[in-house]
Amino acid sequence: MCGIVGFVGARDDAREVLQAMMDLIAHRGPDGQGQFLEGPVALGQRRLSIIDLEGGRQPMYNEDENLVVVFNGEIYNFQSLAEELRAAGHTFATRSDTEVLLHGYEQWGKGMLDRLRGMFTFAIWDRRENTLLLARDHFGIKPLYYYQNEEGELLFGSEIKSFLGHPGFHKELNEDQLSLYLSYQFSPGENTFFKGVKKLMPAHWLEWKDGQATVQRYWRPEFKPDDAPSLQEWEKAISDTMQESVTAHKIADVEVGSFLSSGVDSSYMAALAKVDKTFTVGFANKQYDETDYATEFSKHIGVKNYAYRITPEEYWANLGRIQYHMDEPLADAASVALYFVNREAAKQVKVCLSGEGADEFFGGYNIYKEPFTVSWYDHLPLWLRRSVGAVANLLPPVPGINFLVRRGRPLEERYIGNTNLMGERRKRKLMKHYTGNCKPTDISRPFFEMTKGQDPVTRMEYCDLNLWMVGDILLKADKMSMANSLELRVPFLDRKVFELACRIPTKCKVNAQQTKIAMRGAAEMTIPAKTADKKKLGFPVPVRAWLREEKYAAILRDAFATPAAEKFFNTKELNRMLDQHVSGKRDNWRQLWCVFIFLVWYDEYFVKR
């Protein structure tokens, strides 16, 4: 696990610039660093040593040194690929997974990408062809950003902040992203909050040659439900596949631990992995604390649990640092708790397993129950539902109103993912420069077009797999683990697991009463039924309660009085929403938190720096 940076564009100070970029992501790899500079290209890597501690140094070369690579991630099938490549005549100098990328590219070109099983971003420079290839893994577990300036220089890196070390990077806010963020709570799509900086999207490669960058998708996930197997057969298949995936994800030359909350995903993961240590965080408020459960469950599976309770003071004190590490604003309050559990785990191990991906693969979100609740309403004429929803949207938010508003529109118009914090009406009142040029559905619509004819749950899963999971779940998993120099591995997000999950019919995933039906059944083969059947809670964080205390509400009032708040928002409306929340008249905490976190992030990148 590492961080990579680089650029293409000849400059006299290339070595110093590359080092400055590498220093800005030193937290991703405190165990070592390496550089390659030749002609117009500069490649840098910071290393967190996990596999082949001595032989896996980067940059790495193939036999004739025609190819050079810097790599971030893990290839879990590298041993079988290495055997295949040796049989084809390739000679390996190390036992690291990095070297498989070089020989694989020699043998199969870009076709290598479809053979890889793992999480990765990498850059390969072909010295003979003067060509740079960048690539990102199938699900977007590892991030990669790129930027091309007017001078024609191409910059890339595992984190946007690395670009701040390059004189050719012109830092400018992309204000168009703000409106999308206020709905999604993260920065969706390929654009970022930095003008000109793009994300290389999951399952994409970028090739730079002769000053031109070409981007292309090399793989696309597809759901292909199969009604033939029984529920019991699916449960057995999940159990077998997950055991194999966890075994593959434990390959390391260092100790591996596991995160543990009170949910089925992490509990199942910890039990399958048979690690020696689990890690949990909670809060002093029992309603938001999972540490007692984690201690009890860890004893049940015979491992030691390390639990840590976060104080309100340290939660709030670390918000700036966390948003700096995030690169772009992320208003998921659970990301802060994730920072602390990674911090605590990093004191004991260098690698941890986590349960991300189970919900998108196996139907885990409570919103997926929606098509099965009050289903008769969807059979009413659309014009009637639209009319009722339009009227309901003008009424105060009392119970039942949200249902009428949501169900008054077709799925592809109302569903953009797990969060839809603010509609256009709310944003128009709140934003100083609202344009409405890009609506949230402009981002989600292509994914619904790709799933036409499929059932509503499958369509929501596909949307979440491409948006919510990448922009929120995996972003915070990578950034919060790397901020603490910890490698996080996600065995649910595995190609072999998806090849199974994509065939499971919706009836074996979710109904009106339960989510992750088949996966919970598989988990019951390993963990107690009361744990496997536990209702999904997410990562409970007491921000809603804190914001009803004047002590913490005052922090938001101060933020809403800053020049940045005045620049972007109608602060009178913000304070009115805060007063409503403090008094208990409305539950506005998510919307308030979203604006506040943007201001915290903006302060880190455009005021302090």
Side-chain angles (χ1 to χ4, degrees), residues 188-236:
E190 70 170 354
N191 292 320
T192 72
F193 268 92
F194 295 89
K195 194 166 288 187
V197 175
K198 293 185 180 296
K199 306 156 192 158
L200 186 63
M201 298 303 284
H204 280 68
W205 54 255
L206 180 153
E207 185 176 73
W208 185 94
K209 187 175 178 64
D210 298 328
Q212 297 296 316
T214 302
V215 178
Q216 187 169 312
R217 186 159 200 160
Y218 64 83
W219 179 81
R220 192 182 303 278
E222 295 180 4
F223 287 96
K224 303 174 182 178
D226 180 359
D227 284 322
S230 66
L231 176 59
Q232 291 72 30
E233 288 172 314
W234 286 121
E235 290 170 349
K236 179 64 166 62

Side-chain angles (χ1 to χ4, degrees), residues 38 95 146 181 308 356 362:
E38 183 178 86
R95 57 181 185 84
Y146 65 97
Y181 161 80
Y308 183 82
E356 281 82 0
F362 296 107

Side-chain angles (χ1 to χ4, degrees), residues 357-371:
D359 293 313
E360 289 80 5
F361 280 18
F362 296 107
Y365 293 119
N366 289 321
I367 191 69
Y368 296 162
K369 296 178 183 178
E370 187 180 73

Side-chain angles (χ1 to χ4, degrees), residues 372-573:
F372 305 102
T373 57
V374 200
S375 56
W376 62 266
Y377 192 78
D378 292 328
H379 295 295
L380 294 176
L382 179 59
W383 66 265
L384 178 59
R385 287 186 283 123
R386 279 194 188 278
S387 299
V388 172
V391 173
N393 197 38
L394 301 174
L395 300 174
V398 296
I401 290 296
N402 187 50
F403 168 86
L404 295 173
V405 173
R406 286 181 56 78
R407 299 289 268 274
R409 292 172 290 167
L411 180 66
E412 57 269 31
E413 290 184 20
R414 71 175 186 257
Y415 192 79
I416 63 169
N418 257 268
T419 55
N420 193 346
L421 286 182
M422 300 190 202
E424 301 310 297
R425 185 165 160 243
R426 163 61 65 191
K427 290 187 290 187
R428 193 179 293 112
K429 290 179 68 175
L430 204 54
M431 296 176 67
K432 279 276 180 71
H433 311 123
Y434 174 84
T435 65
N437 290 339
C438 186
K439 294 183 170 59
T441 49
D442 295 336
I443 303 293
S444 60
R445 186 178 299 113
F447 303 114
F448 282 101
E449 291 174 353
M450 293 173 196
T451 54
K452 277 183 178 176
Q454 295 189 285
D455 68 271
V457 172
T458 298
R459 301 186 82 189
M460 287 191 283
E461 281 184 297
Y462 194 77
C463 180
D464 285 335
L465 189 64
N466 285 278
L467 289 174
W468 167 258
M469 188 177 77
V470 180
D472 184 304
I473 302 297
L474 294 178
L475 178 81
K476 68 176 187 266
D478 173 82
K479 298 297 176 67
M480 295 299 89
S481 59
M482 287 284 89
N484 290 285
S485 306
L486 181 78
E487 174 169 301
L488 202 62
R489 296 183 180 180
V490 284
F492 280 112
L493 276 176
D494 177 78
R495 290 189 67 188
K496 287 191 176 181
V497 177
F498 182 75
E499 287 167 8
L500 172 67
C502 73
R503 296 187 294 113
I504 300 174
T506 295
K507 66 182 181 181
C508 293
K509 291 182 177 180
V510 60
N511 57 33
Q513 291 75 41
Q514 186 62 284
T515 59
K516 285 187 287 206
I517 296 168
M519 199 212 88
R520 291 178 190 276
E524 278 191 39
M525 299 178 186
T526 306
I527 61 178
K530 69 174 184 178
T531 302
D533 294 335
K534 198 168 185 296
K535 182 181 177 182
K536 182 174 181 61
L537 296 176
F539 205 143
V541 177
V543 174
R544 174 190 283 112
W546 285 337
L547 289 183
R548 290 214 158 104
E549 298 178 36
E550 191 53 44
K551 175 182 177 180
Y552 300 110
I555 298 174
L556 269 64
R557 293 187 203 282
D558 289 345
F560 296 162
T562 60
E566 292 287 348
K567 179 178 181 180
F568 298 111
F569 300 105
N570 177 351
T571 55
K572 184 177 179 180
E573 176 67 11

